[in-house]
Structure formats: structure tokens, C-alpha cells
Amino acid sequence: AWSVSGVWRLVLIDELRDHSGCVWSISWSRRGELFASCGEDRVVRLWGSTCDASRVEFRLISTCGGHFFPRTLRCVAFAPDGKHLAVAGFDGMTTILDILPAKEDQDLKVILDVASTLEGHDSEVKCVAYSGSGTLLATCSRDKTVWVWDGSADDRDFDCLSLLTGHSADVKRVLWVPTRDDVLLSCGYDNVICVWQEDIESDEFTRVATLTAHGSTIWDMAFDDRGEFLASVSADRSLIIWTMSRLGSTYGKASRWLAVQTFEEVHERPIMTVDWSSCDGAFLATGGCDNRIVIFRREAPITLPNDQNQRSGENEKLEDSPSLVQCCERVEAHFGDVNCLGWSTKDPTLLVSGGDDGVLRLWRVTDQDDSDVGPQTQ
């Protein structure tokens, strides 16, 4: 099941089989000690690390589901402070959960308690994302809209700040620039990436750029650890790496965005998910409907040719390319579509994946000649 370039391998180290039905989303806490998952079974699950010096192991420490969520849960996101989760559901609601210490007589270490519910979308909510500071929340929906919510007054309750209507079809993903609370990206079925920026005077978010390079639905996006490069993946089976010149304070003008690397036919079927290691940006992973996970490694950066540097018509120099190269892949990583990927925010070589088979798998990227250890005893 291996196709390896060089000596890198993606090694299975554990499996978590508590979900029943598709796993749609994974989110790590900023400290990397917890991650959350959700999916078709309408349950949010919180996993805690019990790792020691010799092994990595996660066990279930809390759940929230059943009567709280009437339909499939599509996305879960950790708040930057690690005290809350935001959950997007097919019932059109976004739910904020408090992560609270459990009482001494309870089996679980923490409990997930419903703090508030955000209403507004007319259809299924497909994604929810916190800004870097945690004071803003973005949601997107099948109703073709993106909502920006303000939680600066209360991190458990949010008020609508902007309603964005630039897409012509189902919006699949919203993503904040990691270092900015005023720049948001969205993508979906209309094959474009919309870049939104907050106007200082009005506090409203407006579309400042539209990126058009993919030929089909854009399923997912991810920034590198410094927010300098954007990765996007699509049903057209391509992975595109973008960067832009930072001339002034605006992220606008599509001419300033440049696709610095394009990988065609990375997968045999649509690419569903992408994630970039947030620890050091050394690895990028993609997962698709061909059941595969593909790993890219960041090599020494290269400088773009001069004619490309001047593509925007300004006397400016774009950032170097991240110079990604495919280093390994895993065939049949799941028995079905690979729907979500999440690199640990603590360990740059630890990756979690979720799929149609209802299984969460923990992987290690390594250049050692190791074999799979397989699922560890729970």
C-alpha cells in the first residue's frame, strides 16, 4: 500500500472507532493536548492525550450529542483559548459548547455544555471558524452566504457583524488569515475563492478579491504556519499554493495573488481536505475520494523568476515559493472517502484523519524504516 518518494513514510499508530457513520471534521486545541471530532452520528467527541515518552495515545474524555443535535454535524472548531467549541450543523444552527471540569463523581474528565446557539442561515451550515484572537466567528452555508459574528463582548454569545453574499452557490469553507482578524476567505461550489476584508470605518466586511484557478468545486483551504501561503484543493483533483504581495494593508486586487505552485491530478478522484502543519509548516497533507492521503514536504524555498515577481505591475517582490514536494502517500488510508485531516498543533509529525468509514486514524510521518504498529490497546 506504499508509494514513497525518498525515505519518508506515513505510519499508522492508532485507530479510534467510537463514531458511527462518516467523520466530517477534526479540530485541535492550540496546545495540542486535545482534539475534537464530529460527523454523521450527531455527536461531538473530545479526545485527550495520555502520551508518555514511548508512545502516543488519545482516549475519549467527553461527548455531546443525542438530543442536542437533530441532524448531521458538519464542522467543529476549537476556540483559541481552548475553553469553547463551535459546532456547525445541517439543522442550520451553530452551537457554542463550553468545556468545563467534570464533577468528582463523573467518569469523564470534562463535560461539554451548550452555552449558546447562533441562528440565521436558511440551510445547512457547512463550516465554522474562529479568528486568531477568538473574538470573531465565521460561518458558511448551503444558502450561499457567509456570516461574520462578533463575540468581543461575550465569548459564549455572538452577534452578527456582517452578512456576505458574494458566492453564487453552496459555500463549503471559511478560513481566517492566521495573523489577521480582518481578513477572511471562503470557497465552495462556484469554483472561486472570495477574499473579504473589514472596512475600518464601517466595520463591515467587503469582498476585495476573487481567485479563479480551479475548474470545479473547491472543497477546502489551509494556510501555512505563518499565514504566508494558502493551499486550496478541489474536485478537479488539483492542489494550488497561493501567495500575494503585501503592498499596503489591503488583501485586495486579485492580480496581487499568485499561484506559485500547482499540482495536477494529485488524487484519482476529488480532493476533499487539506491541512498544513501549524507547528513549523514542514508538512502538508491532502485526502480524497480515492481513499488516499498524500503528504508533501517543504523543501528549501526558491525565488520566483523576475517576470513572475512583476506580474502585478508594481515594483514589488513576492514571497518565495514554499517549494513543496510529494514525499509519501498512503493508499487505502480509509475504507471510503478521506473527509478531514488535522495536524497536531504540538507535534509536527502527528496527523489525524477521519473518513466515511467512521474511523479516526492517527499517523506519524517519519523518515525511519518503521512498520505500522497498528491500533494500540485502548
PDB file of all heavy atoms in Angstrom, residues 27 30 50 77 83 111 143 162 212 219 246-247 289 331 334:
ATOM      1  N   SER A  27     -10.658  19.075  14.845  1.00  0.00           N
ATOM      2  CA  SER A  27     -10.057  20.346  15.240  1.00  0.00           C
ATOM      3  C   SER A  27      -9.191  20.135  16.482  1.00  0.00           C
ATOM      4  O   SER A  27      -9.639  19.530  17.461  1.00  0.00           O
ATOM      5  CB  SER A  27     -11.136  21.387  15.536  1.00  0.00           C
ATOM      6  OG  SER A  27     -10.560  22.618  15.934  1.00  0.00           O
ATOM      7  N   ARG A  30      -5.194  24.602  20.656  1.00  0.00           N
ATOM      8  CA  ARG A  30      -3.945  25.304  20.337  1.00  0.00           C
ATOM      9  C   ARG A  30      -2.741  24.672  21.035  1.00  0.00           C
ATOM     10  O   ARG A  30      -1.632  24.669  20.489  1.00  0.00           O
ATOM     11  CB  ARG A  30      -4.082  26.789  20.703  1.00  0.00           C
ATOM     12  CG  ARG A  30      -2.886  27.628  20.351  1.00  0.00           C
ATOM     13  CD  ARG A  30      -3.198  29.108  20.432  1.00  0.00           C
ATOM     14  NE  ARG A  30      -3.996  29.558  19.297  1.00  0.00           N
ATOM     15  CZ  ARG A  30      -4.343  30.830  19.103  1.00  0.00           C
ATOM     16  NH1 ARG A  30      -3.983  31.763  19.973  1.00  0.00           N
ATOM     17  NH2 ARG A  30      -5.069  31.171  18.046  1.00  0.00           N
ATOM     18  N   THR A  50      -2.862  10.903  26.355  1.00  0.00           N
ATOM     19  CA  THR A  50      -2.298  10.202  27.512  1.00  0.00           C
ATOM     20  C   THR A  50      -0.880   9.756  27.183  1.00  0.00           C
ATOM     21  O   THR A  50      -0.418   8.730  27.636  1.00  0.00           O
ATOM     22  CB  THR A  50      -3.149   8.972  27.886  1.00  0.00           C
ATOM     23  OG1 THR A  50      -3.216   8.092  26.753  1.00  0.00           O
ATOM     24  CG2 THR A  50      -4.545   9.390  28.273  1.00  0.00           C
ATOM     25  N   ALA A  77     -14.887  23.427  15.649  1.00  0.00           N
ATOM     26  CA  ALA A  77     -13.716  24.297  15.721  1.00  0.00           C
ATOM     27  C   ALA A  77     -13.414  24.659  17.163  1.00  0.00           C
ATOM     28  O   ALA A  77     -14.309  25.065  17.911  1.00  0.00           O
ATOM     29  CB  ALA A  77     -13.946  25.572  14.900  1.00  0.00           C
ATOM     30  N   LYS A  83     -11.279  26.990  25.629  1.00  0.00           N
ATOM     31  CA  LYS A  83     -12.377  26.850  26.584  1.00  0.00           C
ATOM     32  C   LYS A  83     -13.729  26.562  25.927  1.00  0.00           C
ATOM     33  O   LYS A  83     -14.699  26.278  26.619  1.00  0.00           O
ATOM     34  CB  LYS A  83     -12.489  28.120  27.430  1.00  0.00           C
ATOM     35  CG  LYS A  83     -11.248  28.422  28.272  1.00  0.00           C
ATOM     36  CD  LYS A  83     -11.422  29.719  29.043  1.00  0.00           C
ATOM     37  CE  LYS A  83     -10.187  30.041  29.872  1.00  0.00           C
ATOM     38  NZ  LYS A  83     -10.341  31.320  30.617  1.00  0.00           N
ATOM     39  N   ILE A 111     -16.779  18.046  30.819  1.00  0.00           N
ATOM     40  CA  ILE A 111     -18.099  17.941  30.221  1.00  0.00           C
ATOM     41  C   ILE A 111     -18.245  19.035  29.161  1.00  0.00           C
ATOM     42  O   ILE A 111     -17.642  20.111  29.263  1.00  0.00           O
ATOM     43  CB  ILE A 111     -19.235  18.065  31.260  1.00  0.00           C
ATOM     44  CG1 ILE A 111     -19.139  19.389  32.026  1.00  0.00           C
ATOM     45  CG2 ILE A 111     -19.202  16.893  32.215  1.00  0.00           C
ATOM     46  CD1 ILE A 111     -20.321  19.641  32.942  1.00  0.00           C
ATOM     47  N   ASP A 143     -26.881  27.976   1.857  1.00  0.00           N
ATOM     48  CA  ASP A 143     -27.715  29.100   1.407  1.00  0.00           C
ATOM     49  C   ASP A 143     -26.907  30.165   0.656  1.00  0.00           C
ATOM     50  O   ASP A 143     -27.419  31.247   0.363  1.00  0.00           O
ATOM     51  CB  ASP A 143     -28.472  29.721   2.577  1.00  0.00           C
ATOM     52  CG  ASP A 143     -27.554  30.373   3.620  1.00  0.00           C
ATOM     53  OD1 ASP A 143     -26.349  30.538   3.355  1.00  0.00           O
ATOM     54  OD2 ASP A 143     -28.052  30.725   4.708  1.00  0.00           O
ATOM     55  N   SER A 162     -21.530  40.943   9.984  1.00  0.00           N
ATOM     56  CA  SER A 162     -21.653  41.127   8.534  1.00  0.00           C
ATOM     57  C   SER A 162     -22.323  39.908   7.919  1.00  0.00           C
ATOM     58  O   SER A 162     -22.085  38.766   8.349  1.00  0.00           O
ATOM     59  CB  SER A 162     -20.284  41.319   7.880  1.00  0.00           C
ATOM     60  OG  SER A 162     -19.712  42.566   8.185  1.00  0.00           O
ATOM     61  N   THR A 212      -9.631  32.774  -9.145  1.00  0.00           N
ATOM     62  CA  THR A 212     -10.233  31.819 -10.079  1.00  0.00           C
ATOM     63  C   THR A 212      -9.141  31.018 -10.764  1.00  0.00           C
ATOM     64  O   THR A 212      -8.512  31.500 -11.708  1.00  0.00           O
ATOM     65  CB  THR A 212     -11.077  32.540 -11.141  1.00  0.00           C
ATOM     66  OG1 THR A 212     -10.238  33.483 -11.833  1.00  0.00           O
ATOM     67  CG2 THR A 212     -12.237  33.293 -10.501  1.00  0.00           C
ATOM     68  N   TRP A 219     -13.130  22.388  -2.242  1.00  0.00           N
ATOM     69  CA  TRP A 219     -13.617  21.743  -1.029  1.00  0.00           C
ATOM     70  C   TRP A 219     -12.958  22.259   0.246  1.00  0.00           C
ATOM     71  O   TRP A 219     -13.560  22.251   1.313  1.00  0.00           O
ATOM     72  CB  TRP A 219     -13.419  20.227  -1.118  1.00  0.00           C
ATOM     73  CG  TRP A 219     -14.432  19.540  -1.967  1.00  0.00           C
ATOM     74  CD1 TRP A 219     -14.288  19.115  -3.261  1.00  0.00           C
ATOM     75  CD2 TRP A 219     -15.769  19.187  -1.591  1.00  0.00           C
ATOM     76  NE1 TRP A 219     -15.445  18.528  -3.705  1.00  0.00           N
ATOM     77  CE2 TRP A 219     -16.372  18.551  -2.707  1.00  0.00           C
ATOM     78  CE3 TRP A 219     -16.522  19.349  -0.429  1.00  0.00           C
ATOM     79  CZ2 TRP A 219     -17.688  18.082  -2.692  1.00  0.00           C
ATOM     80  CZ3 TRP A 219     -17.823  18.886  -0.403  1.00  0.00           C
ATOM     81  CH2 TRP A 219     -18.397  18.257  -1.523  1.00  0.00           C
ATOM     82  N   ARG A 246       2.304  41.926  -0.266  1.00  0.00           N
ATOM     83  CA  ARG A 246       1.683  42.668   0.820  1.00  0.00           C
ATOM     84  C   ARG A 246       2.032  44.143   0.691  1.00  0.00           C
ATOM     85  O   ARG A 246       2.757  44.723   1.495  1.00  0.00           O
ATOM     86  CB  ARG A 246       2.110  42.101   2.165  1.00  0.00           C
ATOM     87  CG  ARG A 246       1.435  40.760   2.426  1.00  0.00           C
ATOM     88  CD  ARG A 246       2.146  39.976   3.500  1.00  0.00           C
ATOM     89  NE  ARG A 246       1.420  38.782   3.837  1.00  0.00           N
ATOM     90  CZ  ARG A 246       1.412  37.671   3.100  1.00  0.00           C
ATOM     91  NH1 ARG A 246       2.060  37.640   1.962  1.00  0.00           N
ATOM     92  NH2 ARG A 246       0.742  36.603   3.483  1.00  0.00           N
ATOM     93  N   LEU A 247       1.525  44.732  -0.384  1.00  0.00           N
ATOM     94  CA  LEU A 247       1.773  46.138  -0.653  1.00  0.00           C
ATOM     95  C   LEU A 247       0.673  46.942   0.029  1.00  0.00           C
ATOM     96  O   LEU A 247      -0.480  46.896  -0.371  1.00  0.00           O
ATOM     97  CB  LEU A 247       1.754  46.388  -2.156  1.00  0.00           C
ATOM     98  CG  LEU A 247       2.345  47.721  -2.644  1.00  0.00           C
ATOM     99  CD1 LEU A 247       3.849  47.740  -2.410  1.00  0.00           C
ATOM    100  CD2 LEU A 247       2.043  47.916  -4.120  1.00  0.00           C
ATOM    101  N   CYS A 289     -11.407  11.389  -2.310  1.00  0.00           N
ATOM    102  CA  CYS A 289     -12.432  10.373  -2.519  1.00  0.00           C
ATOM    103  C   CYS A 289     -11.859   9.076  -3.074  1.00  0.00           C
ATOM    104  O   CYS A 289     -12.606   8.117  -3.298  1.00  0.00           O
ATOM    105  CB  CYS A 289     -13.508  10.909  -3.467  1.00  0.00           C
ATOM    106  SG  CYS A 289     -14.447  12.292  -2.805  1.00  0.00           S
ATOM    107  N   VAL A 331      -2.094   4.623   0.383  1.00  0.00           N
ATOM    108  CA  VAL A 331      -3.223   4.090  -0.378  1.00  0.00           C
ATOM    109  C   VAL A 331      -4.145   3.348   0.584  1.00  0.00           C
ATOM    110  O   VAL A 331      -3.683   2.693   1.516  1.00  0.00           O
ATOM    111  CB  VAL A 331      -2.730   3.158  -1.498  1.00  0.00           C
ATOM    112  CG1 VAL A 331      -3.900   2.573  -2.278  1.00  0.00           C
ATOM    113  CG2 VAL A 331      -1.775   3.896  -2.428  1.00  0.00           C
ATOM    114  N   HIS A 334      -8.284   4.986   4.349  1.00  0.00           N
ATOM    115  CA  HIS A 334      -9.594   4.698   4.927  1.00  0.00           C
ATOM    116  C   HIS A 334     -10.370   3.831   3.948  1.00  0.00           C
ATOM    117  O   HIS A 334     -10.058   3.792   2.753  1.00  0.00           O
ATOM    118  CB  HIS A 334     -10.375   5.989   5.205  1.00  0.00           C
ATOM    119  CG  HIS A 334      -9.904   6.739   6.401  1.00  0.00           C
ATOM    120  ND1 HIS A 334     -10.451   6.565   7.655  1.00  0.00           N
ATOM    121  CD2 HIS A 334      -8.927   7.662   6.546  1.00  0.00           C
ATOM    122  CE1 HIS A 334      -9.842   7.361   8.514  1.00  0.00           C
ATOM    123  NE2 HIS A 334      -8.906   8.042   7.865  1.00  0.00           N
TER     124      HIS A 334
END
